[in-house]
């Protein structure tokens, strides 16, 4: 079964450092999402791509977060500089149909900022 | 703004008990509704979905959910739970095809613990 690949699975960094997460969606899925999930809460959408274009980044803290999907396939989410409050699970998901909500999630990247 | 509420933060049941997890959303238009499940150590996966038609939908592993439009609810049910149902359950809503919005909103989740 095709899966969404994410790396790294775990990342520990000190505050003010830069971190980057990578996601490779299921082949052929045009829509890609980055979510942040804080312990005890539901996933919160950070950014949504349709192919290489950003569809929604209204909740992305743009002063420190950036996301790109240059060729419309894999994607990178960057945080610079990291802050203590950024400690969370960063989830990538993909969908074959925009806006239907049927998402396929990766295992996630757990970030701990010290 | 649209929102999804899951009022039960943690539910503890014994095996064979019946389950109902509440989900309410706030949006007056057409919606698509989902329940996702996250088993310990695994990624989120779709449990069931409602787009249109019969408001009682059946998903995997014996789960079902009923869409009650007048109550803005989409509660998840299972007549007899098993220990393997221990997981976190998330309700999610996305606006239907008559809307230009694209955001998919998740509830805060309900942790289900089943006592063997």
């Amino acid at each position: 079964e095709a899966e969404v690949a994410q790396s790294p699975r775990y990342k520990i960094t000190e505050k003010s450092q830069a971190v980057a997460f990578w996601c490779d969606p299921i082949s052929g899925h045009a829509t890609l999402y980055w979510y942040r999930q804080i312990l005890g809460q539901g996933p919160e959408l950070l950014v949504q791509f349709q192919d290489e274009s950003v569809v929604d980044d209204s909740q992305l803290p743009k002063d420190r977060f950036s996301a790109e999907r240059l060729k419309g396939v894999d994607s990178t989410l960057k945080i610079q500089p990291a802050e203590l409050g950024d400690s969370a699970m960063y989830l990538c998901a993909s969908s074959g149909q925009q806006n239907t909500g049927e998402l396929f999630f990766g295992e996630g990247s757990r970030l701990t900022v010290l | 703004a649209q929102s999804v509420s899951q009022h039960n933060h943690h539910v503890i049941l014994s095996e064979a008990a019946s389950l109902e997890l509440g989900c309410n959303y706030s949006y007056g238009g057409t919606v698509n509704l989902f329940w996702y499940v996250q088993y310990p150590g695994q990624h989120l996966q779709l449990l069931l979905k409602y787009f249109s038609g019969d408001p009682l939908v059946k998903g995997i592993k014996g789960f079902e959910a009923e869409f009650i439009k007048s109550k803005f609810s989409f509660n998840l049910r299972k007549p007899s739970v098993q220990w393997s149902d221990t997981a976190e359950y998330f309700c999610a809503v996305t606006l239907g095809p008559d809307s230009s919005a694209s955001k998919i909103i998740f509830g805060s989740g309900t942790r289900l613990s089943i006592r063997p």
Side-chain angles (χ1 to χ4, degrees), chain B:
Chain B
Q2 301 89 30
S3 65
V4 179
S5 299
Q6 292 181 246
H7 303 293
N8 308 109
H9 183 64
H10 188 193
V11 173
I12 303 172
L13 296 173
S14 298
E15 276 194 314
S18 64
L19 169 70
E20 181 160 2
L21 301 182
C23 173
N24 289 90
Y25 64 92
S26 63
Y27 178 67
T30 303
V31 293
N32 296 334
L33 297 156
F34 306 82
W35 278 95
Y36 283 83
V37 60
Q38 187 169 25
Y39 297 102
Q42 296 186 27
H43 56 83
L44 276 159
Q45 55 188 285
L46 184 67
L47 193 58
L48 50 76
K49 61 187 178 186
Y50 171 81
F51 288 171
S52 63
D54 188 345
L56 184 63
V57 293
K58 296 190 184 297
I60 60 173
K61 303 186 180 184
F63 285 91
E64 64 179 30
E66 184 175 12
F67 171 50
I68 303 179
K69 189 174 182 179
S70 60
K71 294 185 178 180
F72 299 90
S73 70
F74 189 56
N75 292 355
L76 180 71
R77 301 195 292 246
K78 186 171 183 178
S80 177
V81 295
Q82 301 173 316
W83 179 79
S84 59
D85 294 324
T86 295
E88 188 134 19
Y89 294 81
F90 294 92
C91 183
V93 172
T94 187
L95 304 184
D98 64 346
S99 171
S100 61
S102 61
K103 189 174 291 187
I104 299 163
I105 303 167
F106 283 81
S108 57
T110 297
R111 185 156 63 102
L112 176 64
S113 299
I114 305 298
R115 292 190 291 248

Side-chain angles (χ1 to χ4, degrees), chain A residues 35-44 85-91 110, chain B residues 88 90 108:
Chain A
Y35 283 87
R36 175 171 60 185
Q37 186 177 17
I38 296 170
L39 196 62
Q41 299 182 20
E44 173 196 19
D86 296 332
S87 294
M89 179 74 85
Y90 290 84
L91 300 170
R110 181 169 294 284
Chain B
E88 188 134 19
F90 294 92
S108 57

